[in-house]
Amino acid sequence: MEKKRTFADRLLLFLKGVAMGAANKVPGVSGGVVAFVAGFYEEFIYSLQKFNSKSLLLLVNGRFKSLYNYLNLRFLGLLILGMIFSYFSVSKILDYFLIHYEIKVWALFFGMILGSIYYIAMDFKVTNKKEIAMIVIGVLGGVSISLFEPATQNDNLWFVFLCGIISVSGMTLPGLSGSFILILLGNYVLLLVDSVNALYDTFAEIIKWDFSFTSNPERINLLKVLAVFTAGSMFGLVTLSHALGYLLKYFKNLTFAFIIGFITGSLGVVWPWKTKVIKTNEAGQMLKDSNGNFVIETYDRYLPKLSMMGSWLEISFIIIGILIVLMLIWSSKRTKA
């Protein structure tokens, strides 16, 4: 599995990890799409499959070098390092732009996903009715997810562990956004905003040799929640990779057909022109979760007004998103050549 990589290759792999991390945090965007378009999806899945009884045996017997090579840890390590770096840097920048330039950010991602669909479908040729059926099932699955209503926040640790298992699907299944799933489960703010910020603040305090957070029950609870969520994510990552590895090995074309359909169907999740509908109680008052954030019930989607210059600017971001993906594909092919 291990490939010989130059320093430039390793740097590029780290940057791909950064891109995956950023994509995973944005609701509606899947890190798996980044892996697919960047050309390392199958290596990623098969590397995760190596976390099995054989790797455990190598660990118990102290054969660390063999374990390192068997797990393809140079590849996985660089990706994970890029994702971690992204969560504390690029994703913070994305949060800012989503607050101040929301439609333009969604338009950019919408265009990038359109370009990704073109790339994935470019070399895929439908050969039978089963593949057509899987594309249709994928489209229906993607559309149905975009229509679900979000639940309320729940910090029960068993539920948080389950959230970790489900949300990590965005890394392994292109088109399924882990962040969007967390919104549907009601725990996006808790798990990807509050708990991550709590960890960041804790590290900052430890560097200053300040351990006052240990007497802060709210901080301790958020750190506990993040630890359980991480454990659930790791468990889900390994188990889902085994299932997907099996499907890619024995039903590759059908799996690709489903992925193409699913990504297409999920475009509604990242449709740029939408307004949030806040959940209200019987008295008409807008509801907030335990962190004081308004609870989103659904989104009202609308078409851009072509008579307005701002709409054309937003459409241009869709075109830029498509061009970014096409340039990445061209660059990747040129490098391989």
Side-chain angles (χ1 to χ4, degrees), residues 4 19 21 53 62 139 189 199 231 244 315 330:
K4 288 184 178 180
S53 56
V139 170
V189 173
L199 182 64
L244 279 167
I315 290 170
W330 174 79

Side-chain angles (χ1 to χ4, degrees), residues 25 55 89 98-99 120 160 174 188 210 251 261 285 290 293 316 318 324 328 337:
K25 192 173 180 183
S55 61
S89 57
L98 278 169
I99 292 170
I120 297 169
V160 168
Y188 175 79
D210 178 6
F251 306 99
Q285 296 172 322
S290 59
N293 301 295
S316 71
I318 294 178
I324 287 172
L328 286 171

Side-chain angles (χ1 to χ4, degrees), residues 261-295:
F262 199 91
I263 295 174
T264 304
S266 66
L267 275 171
V269 178
V270 288
W271 179 252
W273 298 279
K274 58 190 174 186
T275 54
K276 297 172 185 175
V277 178
I278 307 301
K279 201 167 189 176
T280 58
N281 58 20
E282 293 179 357
Q285 296 172 322
M286 292 188 288
L287 298 177
K288 292 183 179 181
D289 59 26
S290 59
N291 290 299
N293 301 295
F294 288 113
V295 178

